[in-house]
Amino acid sequence: MSPACSNPGCAAQSVTKHCARCQQAYYCSPLCQKENWPVHKKACTSTKNTDNDSIACVMLGSQAGGASIYKKATVPPNDDIFDQAAAPITQSFGFPLVLRRMKPFSGQSARSANDDNMHATWLMIDPGHGFAPPEWQSAVGDVLVVRADRKPLYMAELAVVTDYVSTILDAFGDGMDGAEVGRRYYQKEKLVRFSNGHLRMQEQYTNLLQQRDGKSFDVE
């Protein structure tokens, strides 16, 4: 006997689709599957335990002095991090990222020398004035960063984004208001151009190191 549609309220007894991840939920149509996803995703678990079930992302590790350490990480596609709103500044230039602190904010009194995370703070700035909320300005700790669209996020990509946000912060520091910063930077095309230039710079730097290591010229 064919299973009934898993979407509550649907009386269909003939199903044509099943959840590709857990293979435990059945649906009579794509519409029913879409309607049921907000409920089903809380219980959905893969029947396989492979890397293909995970989405690449980045852990921004904190350390003394505020510098951020980039580390590879993964999350399952149904992780509740994807239910959170993307960081406003990343939405403004068309590359929405979601951040999750690995330990809850507990106030300035609990701050340690190793808790500051400069790049995580940058990613949480307000597009209108360039300041992060108080709870993201210090004692941030380690932060997980994912793409809001559930596509893989790699360390090199995130490095480009944080460098772009650093450029935006420089613009605020030079006295530009939010409207002017928006006109100059809040377009995905501007991020793409910046990214291409960033990659060319990395390639030139790599070639420079190769030439130096090959002793084709001397470096003081």
Side-chain angles (χ1 to χ4, degrees), residues 5-10 36 39:
C5 182
S6 297
N7 188 22
C10 178
N36 186 233
V39 175

Side-chain angles (χ1 to χ4, degrees), residues 9-27:
C10 178
Q13 295 295 316
S14 176
V15 297
T16 59
K17 297 176 65 65
H18 66 269
C19 176
R21 179 170 171 78
C22 70
Q23 301 182 27
Q24 300 297 314
Y26 294 84
Y27 301 98

Side-chain angles (χ1 to χ4, degrees), residues 38-53:
V39 175
H40 175 60
K41 68 179 178 180
K42 297 176 182 178
C44 181
T45 55
S46 177
T47 57
K48 302 176 183 179
N49 185 21
T50 69
D51 290 340
N52 293 331
D53 296 320

Side-chain angles (χ1 to χ4, degrees), residues 14-195:
S14 176
V15 297
T16 59
K17 297 176 65 65
H18 66 269
C19 176
R21 179 170 171 78
C22 70
Q23 301 182 27
Q24 300 297 314
Y26 294 84
Y27 301 98
C28 64
S29 67
L31 178 60
C32 271
Q33 185 173 13
K34 183 178 180 179
E35 288 180 348
N36 186 233
W37 175 242
V39 175
H40 175 60
K41 68 179 178 180
K42 297 176 182 178
C44 181
T45 55
S46 177
T47 57
K48 302 176 183 179
N49 185 21
T50 69
D51 290 340
N52 293 331
D53 296 320
S54 298
I55 298 174
C57 57
V58 179
M59 182 71 73
L60 283 178
S62 60
Q63 63 176 344
S68 302
I69 305 172
Y70 287 56
K71 306 173 187 176
K72 293 180 181 179
T74 60
V75 293
N78 62 336
D79 193 289
D80 60 8
I81 191 173
F82 296 108
D83 295 331
Q84 300 177 29
I89 189 66
T90 65
Q91 293 186 64
S92 72
F93 49 70
F95 196 78
L97 300 175
V98 183
L99 282 69
R100 179 169 68 196
R101 297 169 75 135
M102 302 312 292
K103 62 179 182 180
F105 177 67
S106 54
Q108 295 298 317
S109 60
R111 178 181 179 183
S112 77
N114 297 323
D115 280 341
D116 288 345
N117 193 331
M118 181 170 60
H119 288 187
T121 299
W122 290 357
L123 291 171
M124 291 303 296
I125 65 170
D126 187 295
H129 51 63
F131 290 98
E135 64 270 21
W136 282 91
Q137 291 182 10
S138 61
V140 173
D142 294 348
V143 173
L144 188 67
V145 187
V146 303
R147 287 182 55 161
D149 59 8
R150 287 183 167 84
K151 292 181 180 179
L153 175 67
Y154 302 106
M155 292 190 293
E157 288 179 312
L158 185 57
V160 170
V161 172
T162 53
D163 280 354
Y164 191 64
V165 175
S166 176
T167 302
I168 292 171
L169 285 168
D170 287 342
F172 279 115
D174 290 339
M176 288 188 196
D177 60 21
E180 178 63 19
V181 171
R183 285 191 291 270
R184 291 200 179 199
Y185 296 102
Y186 297 164
Q187 299 173 37
K188 190 167 185 177
E189 294 76 12
K190 302 285 184 68
L191 173 65
V192 171
R193 280 203 295 271
F194 180 88
S195 176

